[in-house]
PDB file of all heavy atoms in Angstrom:
ATOM      1  N   ALA A  86      10.027   9.351  -0.122  1.00 95.00           N
ATOM      2  CA  ALA A  86      10.022  10.466  -1.017  1.00 95.00           C
ATOM      3  C   ALA A  86       8.472  10.740  -1.539  1.00 95.00           C
ATOM      4  O   ALA A  86       8.064  11.816  -1.615  1.00 95.00           O
ATOM      5  CB  ALA A  86      10.854  10.175  -2.231  1.00 95.00           C
ATOM      6  N   ALA A  87       7.743   9.550  -1.736  1.00 97.00           N
ATOM      7  CA  ALA A  87       6.394   9.716  -2.109  1.00 97.00           C
ATOM      8  C   ALA A  87       5.536  10.284  -0.973  1.00 97.00           C
ATOM      9  O   ALA A  87       4.596  11.172  -1.256  1.00 97.00           O
ATOM     10  CB  ALA A  87       5.827   8.315  -2.496  1.00 97.00           C
ATOM     11  N   LEU A  88       5.861   9.891   0.167  1.00 97.00           N
ATOM     12  CA  LEU A  88       5.183  10.523   1.410  1.00 97.00           C
ATOM     13  C   LEU A  88       5.433  12.004   1.494  1.00 97.00           C
ATOM     14  O   LEU A  88       4.504  12.781   1.650  1.00 97.00           O
ATOM     15  CB  LEU A  88       5.621   9.850   2.730  1.00 97.00           C
ATOM     16  CG  LEU A  88       5.022   8.443   3.026  1.00 97.00           C
ATOM     17  CD1 LEU A  88       5.848   7.762   4.124  1.00 97.00           C
ATOM     18  CD2 LEU A  88       3.533   8.517   3.490  1.00 97.00           C
ATOM     19  N   GLU A  89       6.640  12.342   1.377  1.00 97.00           N
ATOM     20  CA  GLU A  89       6.988  13.817   1.337  1.00 97.00           C
ATOM     21  C   GLU A  89       6.254  14.598   0.283  1.00 97.00           C
ATOM     22  O   GLU A  89       5.735  15.718   0.636  1.00 97.00           O
ATOM     23  CB  GLU A  89       8.513  13.918   1.104  1.00 97.00           C
ATOM     24  CG  GLU A  89       8.978  15.242   1.276  1.00 97.00           C
ATOM     25  CD  GLU A  89      10.563  15.381   1.031  1.00 97.00           C
ATOM     26  OE1 GLU A  89      11.000  15.126  -0.105  1.00 97.00           O
ATOM     27  OE2 GLU A  89      11.247  15.672   2.055  1.00 97.00           O
ATOM     28  N   PHE A  90       6.236  14.059  -0.810  1.00 97.00           N
ATOM     29  CA  PHE A  90       5.428  14.770  -1.944  1.00 97.00           C
ATOM     30  C   PHE A  90       3.979  14.868  -1.737  1.00 97.00           C
ATOM     31  O   PHE A  90       3.318  15.929  -1.835  1.00 97.00           O
ATOM     32  CB  PHE A  90       5.720  14.154  -3.308  1.00 97.00           C
ATOM     33  CG  PHE A  90       5.072  14.749  -4.442  1.00 97.00           C
ATOM     34  CD1 PHE A  90       5.460  16.005  -4.885  1.00 97.00           C
ATOM     35  CD2 PHE A  90       4.024  14.114  -5.089  1.00 97.00           C
ATOM     36  CE1 PHE A  90       4.838  16.596  -5.903  1.00 97.00           C
ATOM     37  CE2 PHE A  90       3.356  14.775  -6.206  1.00 97.00           C
ATOM     38  CZ  PHE A  90       3.783  16.017  -6.618  1.00 97.00           C
ATOM     39  N   ALA A  91       3.346  13.673  -1.321  1.00 98.00           N
ATOM     40  CA  ALA A  91       1.967  13.581  -1.127  1.00 98.00           C
ATOM     41  C   ALA A  91       1.469  14.553   0.031  1.00 98.00           C
ATOM     42  O   ALA A  91       0.436  15.268  -0.137  1.00 98.00           O
ATOM     43  CB  ALA A  91       1.483  12.284  -0.917  1.00 98.00           C
ATOM     44  N   VAL A  92       2.237  14.546   1.137  1.00 98.00           N
ATOM     45  CA  VAL A  92       1.881  15.239   2.291  1.00 98.00           C
ATOM     46  C   VAL A  92       2.322  16.732   2.191  1.00 98.00           C
ATOM     47  O   VAL A  92       1.386  17.718   2.371  1.00 98.00           O
ATOM     48  CB  VAL A  92       2.520  14.647   3.518  1.00 98.00           C
ATOM     49  CG1 VAL A  92       2.161  15.517   4.806  1.00 98.00           C
ATOM     50  CG2 VAL A  92       1.958  13.294   3.799  1.00 98.00           C
ATOM     51  N   GLN A  93       3.484  16.972   1.826  1.00 98.00           N
ATOM     52  CA  GLN A  93       4.016  18.382   1.794  1.00 98.00           C
ATOM     53  C   GLN A  93       3.680  19.207   0.572  1.00 98.00           C
ATOM     54  O   GLN A  93       3.484  20.422   0.747  1.00 98.00           O
ATOM     55  CB  GLN A  93       5.575  18.381   2.009  1.00 98.00           C
ATOM     56  CG  GLN A  93       6.004  17.636   3.280  1.00 98.00           C
ATOM     57  CD  GLN A  93       5.801  18.460   4.494  1.00 98.00           C
ATOM     58  OE1 GLN A  93       4.692  18.685   4.855  1.00 98.00           O
ATOM     59  NE2 GLN A  93       6.885  18.948   5.118  1.00 98.00           N
ATOM     60  N   SER A  94       3.510  18.542  -0.516  1.00 98.00           N
ATOM     61  CA  SER A  94       3.208  19.287  -1.780  1.00 98.00           C
ATOM     62  C   SER A  94       1.770  19.126  -2.173  1.00 98.00           C
ATOM     63  O   SER A  94       1.086  20.203  -2.443  1.00 98.00           O
ATOM     64  CB  SER A  94       4.120  18.776  -2.975  1.00 98.00           C
ATOM     65  OG  SER A  94       3.849  19.386  -4.108  1.00 98.00           O
ATOM     66  N   LEU A  95       1.197  17.935  -2.196  1.00 98.00           N
ATOM     67  CA  LEU A  95      -0.210  17.791  -2.564  1.00 98.00           C
ATOM     68  C   LEU A  95      -1.193  18.062  -1.425  1.00 98.00           C
ATOM     69  O   LEU A  95      -2.242  18.334  -1.746  1.00 98.00           O
ATOM     70  CB  LEU A  95      -0.382  16.331  -3.109  1.00 98.00           C
ATOM     71  CG  LEU A  95       0.395  15.898  -4.417  1.00 98.00           C
ATOM     72  CD1 LEU A  95       0.043  14.512  -4.665  1.00 98.00           C
ATOM     73  CD2 LEU A  95       0.025  16.866  -5.510  1.00 98.00           C
ATOM     74  N   GLY A  96      -0.707  17.931  -0.271  1.00 98.00           N
ATOM     75  CA  GLY A  96      -1.575  18.268   0.886  1.00 98.00           C
ATOM     76  C   GLY A  96      -2.700  17.192   1.115  1.00 98.00           C
ATOM     77  O   GLY A  96      -3.889  17.634   1.430  1.00 98.00           O
ATOM     78  N   VAL A  97      -2.380  15.976   0.917  1.00 98.00           N
ATOM     79  CA  VAL A  97      -3.439  14.937   1.120  1.00 98.00           C
ATOM     80  C   VAL A  97      -3.948  15.079   2.530  1.00 98.00           C
ATOM     81  O   VAL A  97      -3.253  15.389   3.457  1.00 98.00           O
ATOM     82  CB  VAL A  97      -2.951  13.552   0.846  1.00 98.00           C
ATOM     83  CG1 VAL A  97      -2.461  13.385  -0.642  1.00 98.00           C
ATOM     84  CG2 VAL A  97      -1.816  13.155   1.750  1.00 98.00           C
ATOM     85  N   ARG A  98      -5.179  14.603   2.766  1.00 98.00           N
ATOM     86  CA  ARG A  98      -5.861  14.658   3.988  1.00 98.00           C
ATOM     87  C   ARG A  98      -5.969  13.372   4.833  1.00 98.00           C
ATOM     88  O   ARG A  98      -6.140  13.179   5.934  1.00 98.00           O
ATOM     89  CB  ARG A  98      -7.259  15.246   3.981  1.00 98.00           C
ATOM     90  CG  ARG A  98      -7.414  16.715   3.305  1.00 98.00           C
ATOM     91  CD  ARG A  98      -6.639  17.643   4.340  1.00 98.00           C
ATOM     92  NE  ARG A  98      -7.248  17.583   5.689  1.00 98.00           N
ATOM     93  CZ  ARG A  98      -8.418  18.246   6.030  1.00 98.00           C
ATOM     94  NH1 ARG A  98      -8.972  19.032   5.217  1.00 98.00           N
ATOM     95  NH2 ARG A  98      -8.864  18.159   7.290  1.00 98.00           N
TER      96      ARG A  98
END
Side-chain angles (χ1 to χ4, degrees):
L88 282 167
E89 183 179 68
F90 180 68
V92 174
Q93 302 287 67
S94 180
L95 297 179
V97 297
R98 298 295 305 274

